[in-house]
Amino acid sequence: MEDLTVGTRVEHPRYGEGIISKDNLTAYEIFFERGGKIEITKRNTDLTVLEANETAPKSQLSIGEIEKVLSYVLDKHAALNEVVPLGEKWEGGTMILQPANPELKPKEIPVETFFHKIVMLRDRLRVLEQNINSSKSLTDEEKVNIQQYITRAYGSLTTFNVLFAEKEHYFVGAKTK
């Protein structure tokens, strides 16, 4: 539903005609002929606009606008974590680290735990890349040099691509010609 302003005349199937008296973040306060003062959520689809109040200033950000701003800020600071699926054949699997010395116990690690750590490492490398590229104190040459190190780090991690369900999530190092 569109954002409505204070003074807009609306109609509700149960309460009849009303006028919006207050615009809250998630709901409208409306005075109805048959229901008195009632708060109705902005997601309610029962309201019909009879006469919009075009002259009233918009009182605040809409939920949609707030969602867009939050998504932008979280994405900018890499706080939106993408769900990266583990390959099916690895689900429920265990990684065993067996020492050469038979007197020492092997270490068992669930593949899901190891995979989660690999994905976190990849995400942190991406944030590092973003910080380098947006840095005001580094010269372009310094940015390129540091970026080459990160690309080589990605290349070192390509061994773990076997764990990913989808190729779009793979580590990619420097391309050879």
Side-chain angles (χ1 to χ4, degrees):
M1 177 197 269
E2 64 187 277
D3 276 333
L4 306 174
T5 57
V6 172
T8 298
R9 286 185 47 234
V10 294
E11 185 167 33
H12 188 274
R14 181 173 178 188
Y15 305 114
E17 270 190 47
I19 296 177
I20 296 176
S21 62
K22 192 172 184 184
D23 179 6
N24 297 318
L25 182 60
T26 59
Y28 298 113
E29 184 178 276
I30 306 171
F31 281 97
F32 288 103
E33 292 175 340
R34 295 193 302 252
K37 181 175 98 172
I38 295 178
E39 193 169 283
I40 294 185
T41 178
K42 289 185 176 183
R43 298 199 188 268
N44 188 311
T45 57
D46 291 337
L47 287 179
T48 304
V49 175
L50 298 176
E51 185 181 331
N53 184 2
E54 306 288 336
T55 61
K58 191 172 171 189
S59 61
Q60 58 194 15
L61 291 174
S62 69
I63 291 177
E65 290 168 328
I66 291 171
E67 287 173 350
K68 283 180 188 176
V69 169
L70 280 173
S71 291
Y72 170 77
V73 169
L74 291 172
D75 188 43
K76 181 179 177 186
H77 296 285
L80 289 176
N81 293 328
E82 176 183 15
V83 174
V84 179
L86 173 66
E88 278 185 39
K89 68 181 178 180
W90 303 110
E91 290 176 10
T94 304
M95 210 172 81
I96 301 171
L97 301 176
Q98 180 70 52
N101 182 344
E103 295 177 13
L104 298 174
K105 288 176 118 179
K107 171 76 173 171
E108 291 189 16
I109 304 167
V111 173
E112 286 92 346
T113 301
F114 183 72
F115 180 69
H116 178 70
K117 303 259 184 215
I118 293 292
V119 170
M120 285 177 16
L121 174 63
R122 185 197 64 175
D123 291 345
R124 289 187 175 126
L125 282 172
R126 287 180 176 173
V127 170
L128 179 60
E129 280 182 295
Q130 290 172 352
N131 289 339
I132 289 166
N133 291 331
S134 64
S135 174
K136 305 272 189 259
S137 61
L138 294 173
T139 66
D140 285 344
E141 183 180 351
E142 290 170 325
K143 288 179 185 181
V144 168
N145 289 337
I146 296 171
Q147 185 64 46
Q148 288 174 345
Y149 282 107
I150 292 172
T151 300
R152 287 194 289 274
Y154 278 128
S156 300
L157 294 167
T158 57
T159 301
F160 302 113
N161 285 346
V162 69
L163 297 171
F164 292 92
E166 300 162 358
K167 284 188 174 189
E168 69 187 55
H169 298 292
Y170 281 12
F171 288 102
V172 179
K175 303 272 193 242
T176 55
K177 295 179 184 177

